[in-house]
Amino acid sequence: MQVGVIGSGSCYDDVCEFAFRLGQLLAERGCVVINGGLGGVMEAVSRGVSSRGGVAIGIVPGKDRRDANPYCKYVIATNMGHARNMIIVHSSDVLVAVGGGYGTVSEMAIALKEGKRVVAYKPAVKLEGLIVVKTPEEAVSKALEGLE
Amino acid sequence: MQVGVIGSGSCYDDVCEFAFRLGQLLAERGCVVINGGLGGVMEAVSRGVSSRGGVAIGIVPGKDRRDANPYCKYVIATNMGHARNMIIVHSSDVLVAVGGGYGTVSEMAIALKEGKRVVAYKPAVKLEGLIVVKTPEEAVSKALEGLE
Amino acid sequence: MQVGVIGSGSCYDDVCEFAFRLGQLLAERGCVVINGGLGGVMEAVSRGVSSRGGVAIGIVPGKDRRDANPYCKYVIATNMGHARNMIIVHSSDVLVAVGGGYGTVSEMAIALKEGKRVVAYKPAVKLEGLIVVKTPEEAVSKALEGLE
Amino acid sequence: MQVGVIGSGSCYDDVCEFAFRLGQLLAERGCVVINGGLGGVMEAVSRGVSSRGGVAIGIVPGKDRRDANPYCKYVIATNMGHARNMIIVHSSDVLVAVGGGYGTVSEMAIALKEGKRVVAYKPAVKLEGLIVVKTPEEAVSKALEGLE
């Protein structure tokens, strides 16, 4: 199971705490976490995954793998800017959005268009089909429902 | 001036009429119209542009230029699926969204993230920064404001 | 007919003269020229096209249309680095390579893989299937053979 | 260390044996193998890696992860056709080409353009800068020289 976790490159409120705990829970369930590889939510979820010995794969927008945060076990460098968002979507069985801004909106929209399940915590917009959750535990439960 | 016009591949209500008239107005103003090259809004705006002797460039998701509607004067084939949406954004000085679903949302979000002006008619969601309009005339006026 | 013209971003020998004359001939034949939009061969061919009132479309690797040389009538900004080479291939009915280095080799290879006709002047390598020519006139003749 | 292994989707001569053995040696050295995820050389090298408990990451051209051979531990789905070749290059510290056709040529060319070390066994063309080898052992030795 490859679970995409998407969110902003900078943190606010409790969003990064949510992402860190989400990473821990996903790793405990044996999920590989796909994410954008940079800071903020991407770093927090990778750190959570890493803290439980799991695997986070960062898919970075630039061409230098060193752009990635140190908690990504493997790094894919695309050199494709925002188009890397689409690769995150295609590489994930299901997606969890944690807060986020415009970039996260673009990923949620394409994932829903592709018919993928999208679970969201504090989403910037309410897109039709989005499954809104309140805790990391609920996010994991809703994300993996029917997939395992 | 290259103006991106984005919207769904299928039509409903008066959305395609809006797109057709928008294409006419943009062509009359000397704007080149960049769009996704397929059916629905993309075809309607291209047809409007073409009816006034203007230039519409279709950027299609597949690798076959023949996927494009016949009103695109030039066709760019990307073979990149939804990632072609990002190319439409980068190739446009300003964007006008006409109705639209998830794909259009992804384009509006990335355009706003890139700091571009985005004018929208009947948008599926209200993104922060979107300039909502009611007529093709207002769309052109708001889109070109400060750009010419 | 959309003809891709590929080659290096810097000039040597008579390569840019060849590209300039090639652009003139293609424009006279009514072909639209697709190219990479930057300097060297890309600028020379665009200048040739422009000098005959034809249309050159530059597909640039970055996200800023202003990266393009001034002889491209329309500019597509991809923000995809070398991956834009694939877009040039898919958008062309046939390709003419003028000198060139590694980037040109990548484009010739993918075009041949896609079953497209590739005509080359002073190619850096001899790929199977390449049609090597000596003059711009021969290039145009071989490129358009069987396509019109 | 992420080592890209590139080659054709179908096998001939001893090329797949070479790829299988190369995968074993790279895994024994602790390298992660990045490849195109499909059949032929891509499957052979992944199988070699897997047989030694190593990690092969397949970066497939389509949007369905199930396109990948079963020996890739993780799969990235790009939906970008040949443009995925560029992602393989950017994601690798060094590349080893094993036989191969036009697609492999495109990858070798872009890797050399990016200043990366490219080691090749039975290359389809002799590109300037290519390090040609005769055995999997020599390939690993030349690939990792100066990188560890």
Side-chain angles (χ1 to χ4, degrees):
Chain A
M1 178 85 53
Q2 293 186 181
V3 178
V5 177
I6 56 183
S8 173
S10 55
C11 275
Y12 56 94
D13 301 346
D14 61 336
V15 158
C16 278
E17 274 171 58
F18 186 107
F20 176 75
R21 181 70 186 132
L22 176 66
Q24 291 188 316
L25 293 169
L26 287 169
E28 285 168 3
R29 294 287 285 266
C31 299
V32 174
V33 169
I34 306 291
N35 70 84
L38 302 181
V41 163
M42 299 173 265
E43 177 161 345
V45 71
S46 302
R47 195 159 46 83
V49 169
S50 173
S51 76
R52 288 294 186 266
V55 170
I57 301 180
I59 302 182
V60 297
K63 71 181 188 180
D64 193 334
R65 287 168 45 217
R66 290 169 298 185
D67 293 345
N69 70 66
Y71 307 102
C72 290
K73 188 148 182 179
Y74 310 110
V75 180
I76 303 301
T78 63
N79 198 30
M80 287 191 178
H82 305 302
R84 77 86 144 78
N85 295 9
M86 310 299 130
I87 300 176
I88 293 172
V89 170
H90 291 303
S91 300
S92 302
D93 297 296
V94 59
L95 290 105
V96 182
V98 186
Y102 294 135
T104 308
V105 170
S106 79
E107 289 163 315
M108 294 192 301
I110 293 299
L112 290 166
K113 181 162 180 137
E114 287 289 307
K116 301 207 175 187
R117 179 184 284 259
V118 184
V119 173
Y121 173 67
K122 295 194 176 173
V125 293
K126 297 275 164 60
L127 295 172
E128 196 185 328
L130 219 51
I131 301 163
V132 179
V133 295
K134 297 200 167 153
T135 65
E137 288 73 17
E138 191 188 356
V140 172
S141 159
K142 293 283 188 192
L144 303 187
E145 206 167 83
L147 281 178
E148 291 177 312
Chain B
M1 177 86 54
Q2 294 186 181
V3 178
V5 177
I6 55 183
S8 173
S10 55
C11 275
Y12 57 93
D13 302 345
D14 62 336
V15 158
C16 277
E17 275 171 58
F18 185 106
F20 176 76
R21 182 71 185 131
L22 176 66
Q24 291 188 318
L25 294 170
L26 287 170
E28 286 168 2
R29 294 288 284 267
C31 299
V32 174
V33 169
I34 306 291
N35 69 84
L38 302 181
V41 163
M42 299 173 265
E43 178 160 345
V45 71
S46 302
R47 196 159 45 82
V49 169
S50 173
S51 76
R52 288 295 186 266
V55 170
I57 301 180
I59 302 182
V60 296
K63 71 181 189 181
D64 192 335
R65 286 168 46 216
R66 291 169 298 184
D67 293 345
N69 70 65
Y71 306 102
C72 290
K73 187 149 183 178
Y74 308 111
V75 180
I76 303 301
T78 63
N79 198 30
M80 287 192 177
H82 304 303
R84 79 85 145 77
N85 295 9
M86 309 300 129
I87 300 176
I88 293 172
V89 170
H90 291 302
S91 301
S92 303
D93 297 297
V94 58
L95 290 104
V96 183
V98 187
Y102 294 134
T104 308
V105 170
S106 79
E107 289 163 316
M108 294 192 301
I110 293 298
L112 290 166
K113 181 162 180 137
E114 286 288 308
K116 302 207 174 187
R117 179 183 285 258
V118 184
V119 173
Y121 173 66
K122 293 194 178 175
V125 294
K126 298 275 165 59
L127 294 171
E128 196 185 328
L130 218 52
I131 301 164
V132 179
V133 295
K134 296 202 167 153
T135 66
E137 287 73 17
E138 191 188 356
V140 171
S141 159
K142 293 283 188 191
L144 303 187
E145 206 167 83
L147 281 178
E148 290 177 314
Chain C
M1 178 87 53
Q2 294 186 182
V3 178
V5 177
I6 55 183
S8 174
S10 55
C11 274
Y12 57 94
D13 301 346
D14 60 337
V15 157
C16 277
E17 275 172 58
F18 185 107
F20 176 75
R21 181 70 187 131
L22 176 67
Q24 291 188 318
L25 293 170
L26 287 170
E28 285 169 3
R29 294 288 285 269
C31 298
V32 175
V33 169
I34 306 291
N35 69 84
L38 303 181
V41 163
M42 299 172 266
E43 177 160 344
V45 71
S46 302
R47 195 161 44 84
V49 168
S50 174
S51 76
R52 288 294 185 267
V55 170
I57 301 180
I59 302 182
V60 297
K63 71 180 187 181
D64 192 335
R65 287 167 48 215
R66 289 168 299 184
D67 293 345
N69 69 66
Y71 306 102
C72 290
K73 187 148 183 178
Y74 309 111
V75 180
I76 304 299
T78 64
N79 199 29
M80 288 193 177
H82 305 303
R84 78 85 145 76
N85 295 9
M86 310 299 130
I87 300 175
I88 293 172
V89 169
H90 291 302
S91 300
S92 302
D93 297 296
V94 58
L95 290 106
V96 182
V98 186
Y102 294 134
T104 309
V105 170
S106 80
E107 289 163 316
M108 295 191 300
I110 293 300
L112 290 166
K113 181 163 181 136
E114 286 289 307
K116 302 209 173 185
R117 179 184 284 259
V118 184
V119 173
Y121 174 67
K122 294 194 178 174
V125 294
K126 298 276 164 58
L127 294 172
E128 198 186 325
L130 219 52
I131 301 164
V132 179
V133 295
K134 296 199 167 155
T135 65
E137 287 73 17
E138 191 189 356
V140 172
S141 160
K142 293 283 189 192
L144 303 187
E145 207 166 83
L147 281 179
E148 290 177 314
Chain D
M1 177 86 53
Q2 293 185 181
V3 178
V5 177
I6 55 184
S8 173
S10 55
C11 275
Y12 57 94
D13 300 346
D14 60 336
V15 157
C16 277
E17 276 172 58
F18 185 106
F20 175 75
R21 181 71 186 130
L22 176 67
Q24 291 188 317
L25 293 170
L26 287 169
E28 286 169 3
R29 294 287 285 267
C31 298
V32 174
V33 169
I34 305 292
N35 69 84
L38 303 181
V41 162
M42 298 172 266
E43 177 160 346
V45 71
S46 302
R47 195 160 45 83
V49 169
S50 174
S51 77
R52 288 295 186 267
V55 169
I57 301 180
I59 302 182
V60 297
K63 72 181 188 180
D64 192 335
R65 286 168 48 215
R66 290 168 299 185
D67 293 345
N69 70 66
Y71 306 102
C72 291
K73 188 149 183 177
Y74 309 111
V75 180
I76 303 301
T78 63
N79 198 30
M80 288 192 177
H82 305 303
R84 79 85 145 76
N85 295 9
M86 309 300 129
I87 300 175
I88 293 172
V89 169
H90 291 302
S91 300
S92 302
D93 297 296
V94 59
L95 290 105
V96 183
V98 186
Y102 294 134
T104 309
V105 170
S106 79
E107 288 162 316
M108 295 191 301
I110 294 299
L112 290 166
K113 181 161 181 138
E114 287 289 307
K116 301 208 174 186
R117 180 184 284 258
V118 184
V119 173
Y121 174 67
K122 294 193 177 174
V125 294
K126 299 276 164 57
L127 294 172
E128 197 185 327
L130 218 53
I131 301 164
V132 179
V133 295
K134 296 201 166 153
T135 65
E137 288 74 17
E138 192 188 355
V140 172
S141 159
K142 293 283 189 193
L144 303 187
E145 208 167 83
L147 281 179
E148 291 177 313

